Amino acid sequence: MRIKKTLGGKYMRSYKNDFPIFQKNKKFVYLDSAATSQKPKIVLDAIQEYYATYNANVRRGLYPIAEKATKKVEKVREQVARFINAKDPSEIIFVRNATEAINLAAYSFASHNIAKGDSVVTTIMEHHSNFVPWQQLAIQKNADFVVLDISEDGFLDLDLKIKKAKILTLTHVSNVLGTINQIKDIIKQAKAINPQIKVLVDAAQSIPHMKVDVQNLDCDFLAFSGHKMMAATGIGVLYGKRELLKQMRPFLYGGEMIKEVSIAKTTFTDIPYKFEAGTPDIAGIVSFGAAIEYLKSTGIETIQKHENRLIAYSLSRMKEIEGLTIYGPKDIEKRSGVVSFNLNGIHAHDVAQVLGDMDICIRSGHHCAMPLHKRLGITASARVSFYIYNNEEDVDKLIESIKKVKKIFKYG
Ligand code: PMP
């Protein structure tokens, strides 16, 4: 294990060594974990082990490797349930990603509970995955689509518009501003105003970086993706309170979600399986188990502290750069490891492209949050995002490279 001295003078582990991608090219700087995270070796090994030693379909075969695969999937379901403190593993539905989780909730819950005149409330800071499904549902149902605004420094303006709402759906952490919404207080406040309201939390950008406890938050649904928290792509989760899930109709129909099928009718099996039609992403689920092990052994608080230090350092170094505008909260405690910015006079795509040529990976564009960009009065931004494998050296390289970008574009 390599130990490195950090800015604060403390010695800490170099987590990069756990991730094979950083071994190939030591110059490589990855600052796009909000899009997808890199994968530690134990995750890659778990996938390899599954395919090499117990590859079989689940909940069908009666032979040993099929039973082993089935047991593994259920073990990971329990791991996920413990990770978010769900009451029961049956509250964990495996889906492809956060997008599918939100669509499942929108179609299965809301489509049967929302009628003309009801309202669906979301916020201006949502990723399109937590905006478009609700907007489309509202259009179909002739319901009101209410969008809560943000304050100047990127916080939500919760108001009485939720009085008539059937559902409030909002992000825990903004993938553009980095704002950490005070989700527990918001849910409490929303339920005090409207006890019938259900709340869905988009945890795609929070769960990889901070403790999320669904019972403590008292959310009704929680959606997230495995690939942003070190698991493979193709696996995500919808958590739902048991009683709610039981009332909901399936979203997808097909194999392994039925009790009985006849020409006249079909009856469905219990939760969570009635929402998991077809063969699941078994390797993805296996990878999810390994990712959770990695996150737990690293410690979610350690991850959060490490990222806070990096944000503080990067925000202070970004101030050196004239003409650089940073979006989101000024208070470091209120933001996560996502920093979006623009360089005066240079398009975000140009910034990202030139940095890419220097082996520094960042994101540019509207980050699937067009309404928010419009609200900020911009069409695009550049975004850097951190995870446990980043360090101050990465930030230094970023800053020096941004300065070079300015020179290349003859600005500053
Ligand atoms: N919500 C937020 C806040 C996100 O940042 C993202 C991914 N950028 C999503 C939802 C959608 O995640 P996925 O593409 O994995 O479905």
Side-chain angles (χ1 to χ4, degrees):
M1 181 190 304
R2 196 137 31 103
I3 308 285
K4 242 181 136 291
K5 197 173 180 191
T6 67
L7 268 187
K10 293 202 177 94
Y11 287 89
M12 65 166 299
R13 235 184 102 177
S14 174
Y15 291 96
K16 276 194 204 291
N17 296 333
D18 298 343
F19 295 78
I21 200 160
F22 298 115
Q23 310 314 315
K24 291 217 167 81
N25 173 3
K26 300 281 179 195
K27 271 176 40 202
F28 173 63
V29 176
Y30 187 73
L31 294 171
D32 197 17
S33 296
T36 198
S37 71
Q38 295 303 339
K39 321 300 174 201
K41 187 165 182 302
I42 69 158
V43 166
L44 305 179
D45 288 348
I47 298 169
Q48 160 79 15
E49 188 200 2
Y50 163 68
Y51 279 126
T53 68
Y54 62 103
N55 173 40
N57 211 330
V58 292
R59 299 178 49 234
R60 295 158 170 85
L62 296 173
Y63 46 91
I65 59 167
E67 282 174 358
K68 181 170 175 183
T70 302
K71 269 197 190 134
K72 179 70 189 173
V73 165
E74 293 316 312
K75 188 175 161 233
V76 176
R77 200 188 300 278
E78 285 166 20
Q79 269 179 286
V80 176
R82 274 199 303 278
F83 194 65
I84 61 169
N85 195 29
K87 269 192 190 148
D88 195 89
S90 65
E91 296 178 314
I92 305 300
I93 302 163
F94 287 125
V95 290
R96 277 189 305 147
N97 46 38
T99 304
E100 189 174 292
I102 295 165
N103 275 272
L104 194 170
Y107 286 96
S108 287
F109 167 76
S111 67
H112 301 285
N113 285 283
I114 290 167
K116 191 175 172 184
D118 288 336
S119 64
V120 173
V121 183
T122 189
T123 86
I124 195 76
M125 67 163 80
E126 301 307 313
H127 186 280
H128 296 160
S129 340
N130 197 29
F131 194 90
V132 183
W134 304 104
Q135 176 196 55
Q136 294 303 307
L137 186 85
I139 292 170
Q140 278 168 28
K141 297 277 174 179
N142 241 321
D144 294 332
F145 182 58
V146 178
V147 181
L148 301 178
D149 199 9
I150 45 167
S151 59
E152 275 318 301
D153 50 354
F155 293 99
L156 274 181
D157 239 351
L158 192 68
D159 64 17
L160 296 176
K161 287 188 189 122
I162 55 172
K163 226 173 182 167
K164 268 190 344 166
K166 283 282 166 74
I167 190 150
L168 166 64
T169 180
L170 80 170
T171 194
H172 193 174
V173 169
S174 161
N175 68 317
V176 177
L177 302 170
T179 317
I180 303 172
N181 285 320
Q182 295 309 305
I183 212 84
K184 187 177 173 179
D185 292 345
I186 292 174
I187 294 174
K188 205 170 158 194
Q189 206 182 328
K191 292 193 171 184
I193 297 170
N194 175 356
Q196 306 307 320
I197 201 168
K198 302 294 177 228
V199 184
L200 182 144
V201 176
D202 174 355
Q205 294 294 351
S206 60
I207 274 212
H209 309 279
M210 63 190 69
K211 177 85 193 123
V212 173
D213 177 331
V214 288
Q215 291 191 65
N216 182 256
L217 293 180
D218 192 27
C219 56
D220 298 287
F221 299 106
L222 188 97
F224 54 103
S225 293
H227 70 91
K228 293 185 201 283
M229 52 192 291
M230 304 195 185
T233 48
I235 187 68
V237 164
L238 177 70
Y239 154 84
K241 281 185 180 163
R242 203 178 148 76
E243 289 319 308
L244 265 176
L245 291 179
K246 283 186 130 188
Q247 291 159 20
M248 285 159 50
R249 287 181 61 78
F251 173 45
L252 297 171
Y253 299 99
E256 294 301 314
M257 49 79 71
I258 54 90
K259 246 187 209 141
E260 209 176 323
V261 181
S262 68
I263 290 178
K265 65 170 190 166
T266 297
T267 51
F268 305 115
T269 188
D270 208 353
I271 62 167
Y273 309 111
K274 78 172 176 186
F275 296 109
E276 293 183 356
T279 300
D281 180 357
I282 304 163
I285 295 171
V286 167
S287 80
F288 211 167
I292 290 177
E293 254 175 58
Y294 184 83
L295 291 172
K296 282 192 121 170
S297 68
T298 306
I300 207 84
E301 289 82 10
T302 305
I303 294 174
Q304 202 171 2
K305 269 194 201 142
H306 177 84
E307 289 174 8
N308 279 349
R309 236 182 353 245
L310 283 180
I311 306 160
Y313 182 54
S314 56
L315 291 179
S316 76
R317 290 232 47 202
M318 277 176 164
K319 284 193 193 129
E320 290 170 17
I321 302 173
E322 209 184 305
L324 189 149
T325 307
I326 297 169
Y327 304 101
K330 308 263 174 308
D331 183 347
I332 284 155
E333 295 298 314
K334 293 183 175 148
R335 63 183 303 151
S336 78
V338 170
V339 183
S340 293
F341 64 94
N342 265 315
L343 266 182
N344 201 0
I346 309 175
H347 195 281
H349 284 329
D350 290 330
V351 176
Q353 175 121 38
V354 177
L355 290 180
D357 291 343
M358 298 175 189
D359 267 337
I360 300 177
C361 310
I362 72 159
R363 171 99 188 255
S364 63
H366 52 65
H367 319 304
C368 301
M370 281 177 122
L372 176 60
H373 275 75
K374 202 163 182 198
R375 170 69 177 81
L376 296 171
I378 52 178
T379 52
S381 59
R383 179 186 76 185
V384 299
S385 49
F386 301 107
Y387 216 171
I388 190 73
Y389 36 72
N390 293 118
N391 55 28
E392 283 93 354
E393 245 172 71
D394 293 344
V395 177
D396 290 338
K397 282 185 192 159
L398 170 75
I399 299 297
E400 295 320 311
S401 303
I402 293 177
K403 289 178 181 169
K404 283 185 197 156
V405 171
K406 280 182 64 173
K407 283 213 175 95
I408 290 170
F409 287 90
K410 306 234 180 312
Y411 161 71

